[in-house]
């Protein structure tokens, strides 16, 4: 009788190579991915001030979503370059990437009064807190 070793059972399994290579370092061969969005958040009495570093992204490619007390920032990186010599293309590169970041704040944000500014790779958000309702005591009649 022919004995199979446990290792031989997985020889034809396509997932084995994926798991074997899982712990190997990722190698990027010159392609840049989307930048990490680094955030600084400061809370004052009336609002939140958020600064997010998103270098190399056009302001048209940044999206900000506010839903109650959740603020989401996403950015899409699109870079294309082409090198020509005479009328022939020698090298053409395209790079695409996507980065996003979400934060949950203690208080809801007033979307209608929020302001966004993007300059030199830094996104600045002013997020006013929604006015909290004051409690009311009901009298029983």
């Amino acid at each position: 009788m022919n004995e199979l070793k446990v290792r031989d059972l997985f020889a034809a399994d396509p997932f084995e190579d994926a798991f074997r290579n899982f712990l190997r370092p990722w190698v990027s061969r010159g392609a840049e991915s989307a930048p990490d969005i680094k955030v600084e958040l400061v809370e004052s009495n009336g609002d939140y001030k958020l600064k997010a570093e998103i270098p190399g992204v056009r302001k048209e490619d940044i999206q900000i979503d506010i839903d109650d007390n959740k603020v989401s920032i996403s950015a899409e990186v699109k870079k294309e370059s082409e090198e020509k010599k005479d009328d022939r293309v020698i090298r053409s590169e395209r790079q695409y990437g996507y980065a996003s970041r979400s934060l949950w704040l203690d208080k809801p944000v007033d979307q209608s009064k929020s302001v966004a500014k993007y300059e030199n790779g830094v996104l600045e958000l002013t997020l006013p807190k929604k006015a909290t309702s004051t409690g009311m005591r009901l009298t029983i009649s």
Side-chain angles (χ1 to χ4, degrees):
M1 190 167 188
N2 211 356
E3 286 186 32
L4 286 175
K5 296 180 182 173
V6 174
R7 185 100 171 114
D8 294 333
L9 291 174
F10 295 103
D13 188 356
F15 294 103
E16 181 186 31
D17 286 336
F19 287 112
R20 186 181 310 131
N21 293 329
F22 182 73
L23 295 176
R24 291 185 186 161
W26 176 260
V27 177
S28 176
R29 305 205 189 276
E32 292 181 26
S33 62
D36 290 333
I37 299 175
K38 296 180 175 108
V39 173
E40 175 184 298
L41 178 67
V42 177
E43 179 182 10
S44 63
N45 289 336
D47 57 14
Y48 296 101
K49 301 275 188 197
L50 186 136
K51 284 187 182 180
E53 294 178 14
I54 317 172
V57 178
R58 299 178 320 147
K59 73 177 183 178
E60 296 82 14
D61 295 329
I62 298 173
Q63 183 173 336
I64 304 160
D65 295 309
I66 301 171
D67 183 17
D68 204 26
N69 66 330
K70 180 183 174 187
V71 178
S72 299
I73 302 168
S74 58
E76 189 174 4
V77 176
K78 297 181 226 174
K79 294 182 182 179
E80 295 184 14
S81 65
E82 188 174 84
E83 185 179 325
K84 289 185 176 185
K85 187 172 185 179
D86 298 323
D87 284 332
R88 297 182 334 188
V89 175
I90 295 175
R91 181 178 53 86
S92 177
E93 292 185 13
R94 291 176 187 85
Q95 299 172 353
Y96 298 97
Y98 180 82
S100 66
R101 185 85 189 257
S102 293
L103 298 129
W104 284 263
L105 307 172
D106 289 338
K107 305 282 184 194
V109 172
D110 188 349
Q111 297 100 326
S112 64
K113 296 180 183 174
S114 297
V115 178
K117 183 175 98 174
Y118 183 70
E119 190 175 330
N120 297 326
V122 178
L123 175 68
E124 293 184 24
L125 302 178
T126 302
L127 307 166
K129 297 177 187 176
K130 271 189 183 174
T132 57
S133 61
T134 55
M136 183 177 116
R137 182 173 289 185
L138 293 175
T139 55
I140 302 172
S141 55

